[in-house]
Amino acid sequence: MPVQRSRPPRLAALSGLLTLGAMAALGVGAAGGSDMAAPAPSPALSATATLRDPAGQVLGTARFRPLGSGNGPVEVTVSVRGLAPGQHGMHVHEYGRCTPGVDPATNTVVPFGGAGGHFDPGMSRNHDDPQAANLYGHGGDLPMLTVGPDGTGQVTFQSSKIRLSGADGVLNRSIVIHARPDDYRSDPAGMSGARERCGVIVRDRFTARDYALPGVQTYPEGVAYDARKGLLYTGSAANGTIWAVNAATGAVSVFQEGGALGRQVALGLKVDAQGRLWVAGGAQGTVSVLSPDGVTLKVLETPPSPRPYINDLTPAPDGNVYVTDSSRPVIYRVTPDLTLDAWLDLAGTPLKYGPGVNLNGIAATPDGRYLLAIQLNTGELWRIDLRSRAVHRVMTGLVNGDGLLLDGRTLYVARNKDQVVSKVTLSADYASGQLVLNEPLTGLRFPATLTRIGNDLVVTQAQLDKLQGGTPETPFRLTRFPKF
């Protein structure tokens, strides 16, 4: 029987401890209710891990499939050979790397150390038994595998601790089988010994392309595409550096160093019709405008305030650029002559600001009539009339909605903490919407914003949940995938 023990206390409420930037990273806010039906799951969502020994020899498989029609508990079937008879601890580990790496417990390089520690979506920092809720134990704590006298073992089990989509998603993580039994008690791994088999959990029948980014503190938040140059731009939420990525080859170069004219962060990015790059400056309360060759043309400052947070922006057909502030209930406007004003005071409108991160992603409709903006902490999508400035709630149910991409009547929403891209179908007047699909791709790590390249989309894997503490998975990357 697993050893029972008292549960550790829950961490203090984050919203009382973090800056707005940290809350933006973690998606902290008061979750609003939803009036939407549950979205359909991704079609044919399943995954497989090919299990190898430290020499690279294939010696087993692990297969993952969700139970039921939604993103529910997962059934896992593990088959392996070549292990010593007896029980073996088995866990899902944080990173999708079956490479040598440092074991923090011993500070030595061990086989499969690159997989990192146990997957811990509840931030429990506690090893426990496979029935413990993720609040109290690692999400990656799995049942043991029993190996027979012939060295083979097979087990099928169900786990409600892991999913193939969402915050508990295990796609592009690793499953590791250890040399010894798991005592389900001792941190960090139940005294289960050496890592003897490892496999990366790869989604079946889905193709995506990653663009690897340099650096260990990159945290790519914004992304934009310049079709004339064939370049993607992405900016760092940690230091403000902006990179240019060749969309065809993946080659990366620095477009502008962080710190340019005082810019310390780069959040939402957009390319306008003149090829200029617009940059939201977060807690600095600024909007920067860069020339097509990377020269700062102007830095626009919003009015002084104790808590500015310029998060995203969008060029509109009327020639203006509209800007969200996640802390102050104002939508700013930059006119064609690069003058900034407070265009819409949201006080007195149905859109109410609350604790945490409020308005975030913003998009303009192609007919030039409306803006669409997502409120991260409540999950509400809003329509704002550019003529009358009337504010209308389109729908709810998109909590942790970050960046938006509007493609005709389809809206794609990067939902950072939920680690999915949501597909929303909008009515002809953009007044209502229906959430139809939550797509985890091949495994997302805190997706923040989106852009489009032809019939493909590109999303940032920002990992902003690691920005205030924790070890991000490197290399940081952008992920390109077909529209769904």
Side-chain angles (χ1 to χ4, degrees), residues 7-264:
R7 304 301 190 192
R10 183 60 169 159
L11 297 176
L14 289 171
S15 60
L17 299 176
L18 300 175
T19 63
L20 183 65
M23 290 192 288
L26 294 171
V28 173
S34 171
D35 56 13
M36 304 301 298
S42 301
L45 182 59
S46 63
T48 303
T50 300
L51 300 172
R52 302 176 186 270
D53 67 8
Q57 183 179 5
V58 175
L59 292 170
T61 59
R63 302 189 186 280
F64 300 75
R65 69 175 186 89
L67 297 171
S69 59
N71 182 38
V74 173
E75 181 182 84
V76 184
T77 298
V78 179
S79 301
V80 70
R81 62 187 184 275
L83 290 173
Q87 289 189 310
H88 294 257
M90 189 163 54
H91 315 107
V92 174
H93 286 243
E94 180 77 11
Y95 305 130
R97 296 194 297 257
C98 288
T99 57
V102 175
D103 181 354
T106 63
N107 200 32
T108 59
V109 176
V110 299
F112 308 132
H118 290 182
F119 177 45
D120 190 20
M123 296 187 292
S124 69
R125 299 174 177 86
N126 185 49
H127 182 62
D128 212 313
D129 66 74
Q131 286 75 46
N134 288 351
L135 177 65
Y136 304 116
H138 300 147
D141 296 337
L142 302 179
M144 280 188 277
L145 172 72
T146 300
V147 174
D150 63 352
T152 66
Q154 180 167 325
V155 64
T156 297
F157 60 89
Q158 297 175 6
S159 176
S160 60
K161 293 170 67 66
I162 58 176
R163 302 284 193 273
L164 291 182
S165 178
D168 299 332
V170 297
L171 292 177
N172 199 30
R173 303 190 191 277
S174 300
I175 182 170
V176 174
I177 301 174
H178 293 258
R180 297 200 299 264
D182 189 333
D183 68 11
Y184 294 129
R185 176 167 50 97
S186 303
D187 286 321
M191 301 292 288
S192 53
R195 304 177 182 194
E196 294 198 332
R197 299 289 183 270
C198 182
V200 178
I201 302 168
V202 178
R203 181 172 176 181
D204 299 326
R205 301 175 298 277
F206 192 93
T207 301
R209 174 186 178 182
D210 285 340
Y211 296 102
L213 300 173
V216 296
Q217 293 290 314
T218 306
Y219 299 100
E221 207 277 352
V223 66
Y225 181 60
D226 188 335
R228 289 161 295 192
K229 294 184 175 181
L231 292 178
L232 289 158
Y233 297 107
T234 189
S236 172
N239 59 37
T241 297
I242 298 172
W243 292 271
V245 182
N246 186 302
T249 67
V252 181
S253 60
V254 173
F255 184 68
Q256 191 181 75
E257 292 281 2
L261 292 181
R263 190 190 66 246
Q264 301 302 317

Side-chain angles (χ1 to χ4, degrees), residues 304-325:
S305 166
R307 295 177 65 237
Y309 207 80
I310 299 301
N311 210 331
D312 202 8
L313 36 76
T314 185
D318 63 7
N320 298 311
V321 173
Y322 295 88
V323 183
T324 60
D325 189 310

Side-chain angles (χ1 to χ4, degrees), residues 137-469:
H138 300 147
D141 296 337
L142 302 179
M144 280 188 277
L145 172 72
T146 300
V147 174
D150 63 352
T152 66
Q154 180 167 325
V155 64
T156 297
F157 60 89
Q158 297 175 6
S159 176
S160 60
K161 293 170 67 66
I162 58 176
R163 302 284 193 273
L164 291 182
S165 178
D168 299 332
V170 297
L171 292 177
N172 199 30
R173 303 190 191 277
S174 300
I175 182 170
V176 174
I177 301 174
H178 293 258
R180 297 200 299 264
D182 189 333
D183 68 11
Y184 294 129
R185 176 167 50 97
S186 303
D187 286 321
M191 301 292 288
S192 53
R195 304 177 182 194
E196 294 198 332
R197 299 289 183 270
C198 182
V200 178
I201 302 168
V202 178
R203 181 172 176 181
D204 299 326
R205 301 175 298 277
F206 192 93
T207 301
R209 174 186 178 182
D210 285 340
Y211 296 102
L213 300 173
V216 296
Q217 293 290 314
T218 306
Y219 299 100
E221 207 277 352
V223 66
Y225 181 60
D226 188 335
R228 289 161 295 192
K229 294 184 175 181
L231 292 178
L232 289 158
Y233 297 107
T234 189
S236 172
N239 59 37
T241 297
I242 298 172
W243 292 271
V245 182
N246 186 302
T249 67
V252 181
S253 60
V254 173
F255 184 68
Q256 191 181 75
E257 292 281 2
L261 292 181
R263 190 190 66 246
Q264 301 302 317
V265 299
L267 300 184
L269 303 179
K270 294 294 189 300
V271 174
D272 68 11
Q274 301 177 46
R276 298 175 300 183
L277 182 65
W278 294 71
V279 186
Q284 292 181 276
T286 59
V287 174
S288 298
V289 188
L290 312 186
S291 73
D293 55 358
V295 175
T296 300
L297 299 174
K298 195 162 187 179
V299 177
L300 303 163
E301 297 185 359
T302 57
S305 166
R307 295 177 65 237
Y309 207 80
I310 299 301
N311 210 331
D312 202 8
L313 36 76
T314 185
D318 63 7
N320 298 311
V321 173
Y322 295 88
V323 183
T324 60
D325 189 310
S326 295
S327 177
R328 299 172 292 184
V330 178
I331 293 178
Y332 293 97
R333 176 181 63 182
V334 182
T335 57
D337 63 354
L338 301 185
T339 299
L340 182 145
D341 64 358
W343 176 72
L344 177 58
D345 183 350
L346 294 167
T349 74
L351 201 166
K352 305 301 182 184
Y353 270 40
V357 179
N358 289 273
L359 282 191
N360 196 330
I362 186 169
T365 61
D367 60 5
R369 180 70 188 272
Y370 303 110
L371 300 173
L372 296 173
I374 187 72
Q375 192 169 358
L376 183 144
N377 53 357
T378 67
E380 294 170 306
L381 179 68
W382 298 92
R383 188 193 73 177
I384 301 155
D385 193 312
L386 284 169
R387 300 174 189 170
S388 68
R389 308 192 189 190
V391 178
H392 168 79
R393 191 179 75 170
V394 177
M395 62 180 289
T396 65
L398 297 169
V399 173
N400 299 315
D402 198 326
L404 301 181
L405 177 70
L406 182 61
D407 182 25
R409 294 289 185 267
T410 299
L411 183 71
Y412 295 96
V413 186
R415 295 176 62 187
N416 54 34
K417 192 176 179 180
D418 294 325
Q419 304 195 105
V420 294
V421 174
S422 292
K423 180 180 181 179
V424 172
T425 299
L426 297 166
S427 62
D429 61 356
Y430 305 98
S432 62
Q434 176 68 47
L435 175 59
V436 295
L437 188 67
N438 284 329
E439 177 54 67
L441 307 183
T442 54
L444 288 170
R445 303 292 184 264
F446 214 88
T449 58
L450 299 137
T451 193
R452 186 177 69 180
I453 303 177
N455 289 320
D456 291 347
L457 305 181
V458 178
V459 64
T460 61
Q461 303 223 30
Q463 298 190 74
L464 298 187
D465 52 334
K466 307 291 187 183
L467 185 57
Q468 301 296 320

